Amino acid sequence: MLFVVNNVLKIKKSAFRLILSAIFGALYALMVLFIPHVILLGEFVTYIAVIEIMVWIAFGKSSIRENIKKVLFIYLITFLLNGMIDIFHVNDNMWKVLFIVLTSCSVMTVGIKKVMEMIGKESVRYIVKITEGNKSISVKALKDTGNHLTDPLTNKPVSIIEKDILYSLIADTEKKLYVPFQSVGTSHGLMETYIVQQIELDGKRYYNTEIGVFEGQLSKNNEYQMILHPKLFESGGK
């Protein structure tokens, strides 16, 4: 279950920490099985404490919100695994239990990721209207919390848009700026950017917004053509 949480939440902790945490949980289970009278505070309270310790061993320190998310995922996965074992009535065979657990964990990892992706896409998708001079265009955009691109000169957050779309709006390409960036497969580079007059999303207007030019498509099947910087929303708009 720890490996499922690690993969689903993309925590990327070492396998050693996960195994160490799993060993701690197994030792607790053996203690409950063979020495039940050592649980002085009650099984429910002790179980919560053990899960917290396992989370700390496996994933290290985290915020209260992140900690609650990890604990809830562990409870959810444990509940689902127990249900799968009961459905197939394999409690009496260790190898069958191991097969069901491994298969269920693989299916749950893929399934939960897909559900989270679907929920995430729906919750952060916007229709953005960009205005420059007398021209306006509307594009589908995605808010990306992983976008930290900032212009070091203007200190403006930089959203990203496909080149062909922005060029259909911008008439004077001599006004372009360049922002240093780093991405997968590219050690360092310069991204062409423009400060547009206005963008409008969610009923709010944001003025003099800096937008970077991306060569090619940002998404498969043209699901969105623009990536919004999360700090853009913090400015409030008007």
Side-chain angles (χ1 to χ4, degrees), residues 165-218:
I165 293 176
L166 187 63
Y167 271 30
S168 68
L169 177 69
I170 300 293
D172 188 2
T173 56
E174 293 183 0
K175 292 183 179 180
K176 60 187 173 185
L177 305 171
Y178 289 98
V179 173
F181 75 98
Q182 185 172 356
S183 64
V184 178
T186 305
S187 56
H188 296 284
L190 291 174
M191 176 173 284
E192 182 181 328
T193 68
Y194 295 86
I195 296 178
V196 297
Q197 179 182 335
Q198 172 188 299
I199 72 169
E200 185 176 346
L201 65 101
D202 253 9
K204 293 183 178 181
R205 295 177 180 178
Y206 300 82
Y207 299 96
N208 299 318
T209 301
E210 192 162 355
I211 301 177
V213 174
F214 179 81
E215 301 277 353
Q217 282 192 325
L218 287 169

Side-chain angles (χ1 to χ4, degrees), residues 94-113:
M94 184 187 71
W95 295 110
K96 287 183 179 179
V97 170
L98 185 60
F99 174 77
I100 291 297
V101 168
L102 292 177
T103 304
S104 299
C105 284
S106 300
V107 172
M108 280 191 289
T109 300
V110 175
I112 294 173
K113 277 185 176 180

Side-chain angles (χ1 to χ4, degrees), residues 36-218:
H37 62 274
V38 300
I39 306 176
L40 302 177
L41 300 177
E43 186 173 350
F44 181 72
V45 175
T46 308
Y47 185 63
I48 293 176
V50 168
I51 291 294
E52 283 290 347
I53 295 172
M54 289 177 65
V55 168
W56 178 77
I57 294 173
F59 308 116
K61 293 182 180 180
S62 59
S63 65
I64 295 175
R65 181 178 178 180
E66 287 298 315
N67 181 75
I68 292 173
K69 184 190 295 184
K70 292 166 188 172
V71 171
L72 290 177
F73 262 100
I74 288 176
Y75 280 123
L76 172 63
I77 294 164
T78 302
F79 174 77
L80 293 174
L81 285 176
N82 286 333
M84 293 298 291
I85 292 171
D86 289 339
I87 288 173
F88 290 99
H89 304 289
V90 294
N91 307 66
D92 58 338
N93 189 305
M94 184 187 71
W95 295 110
K96 287 183 179 179
V97 170
L98 185 60
F99 174 77
I100 291 297
V101 168
L102 292 177
T103 304
S104 299
C105 284
S106 300
V107 172
M108 280 191 289
T109 300
V110 175
I112 294 173
K113 277 185 176 180
K114 289 293 182 183
V115 171
M116 289 179 69
E117 285 176 5
M118 291 172 63
I119 294 173
K121 286 180 181 178
E122 291 301 321
S123 63
V124 296
R125 192 176 295 172
Y126 299 89
I127 298 295
V128 178
K129 182 180 179 182
I130 308 173
T131 301
E132 180 66 26
N134 296 323
K135 294 180 65 178
S136 295
I137 57 172
S138 294
V139 298
K140 290 177 286 187
L142 199 69
K143 178 183 176 182
D144 183 7
T145 55
N147 177 18
H148 303 295
L149 187 61
T150 303
D151 190 326
L153 295 178
T154 63
N155 205 32
K156 288 178 176 288
V158 180
S159 297
I160 302 169
I161 194 170
E162 293 177 5
K163 179 179 179 179
D164 292 343
I165 293 176
L166 187 63
Y167 271 30
S168 68
L169 177 69
I170 300 293
D172 188 2
T173 56
E174 293 183 0
K175 292 183 179 180
K176 60 187 173 185
L177 305 171
Y178 289 98
V179 173
F181 75 98
Q182 185 172 356
S183 64
V184 178
T186 305
S187 56
H188 296 284
L190 291 174
M191 176 173 284
E192 182 181 328
T193 68
Y194 295 86
I195 296 178
V196 297
Q197 179 182 335
Q198 172 188 299
I199 72 169
E200 185 176 346
L201 65 101
D202 253 9
K204 293 183 178 181
R205 295 177 180 178
Y206 300 82
Y207 299 96
N208 299 318
T209 301
E210 192 162 355
I211 301 177
V213 174
F214 179 81
E215 301 277 353
Q217 282 192 325
L218 287 169

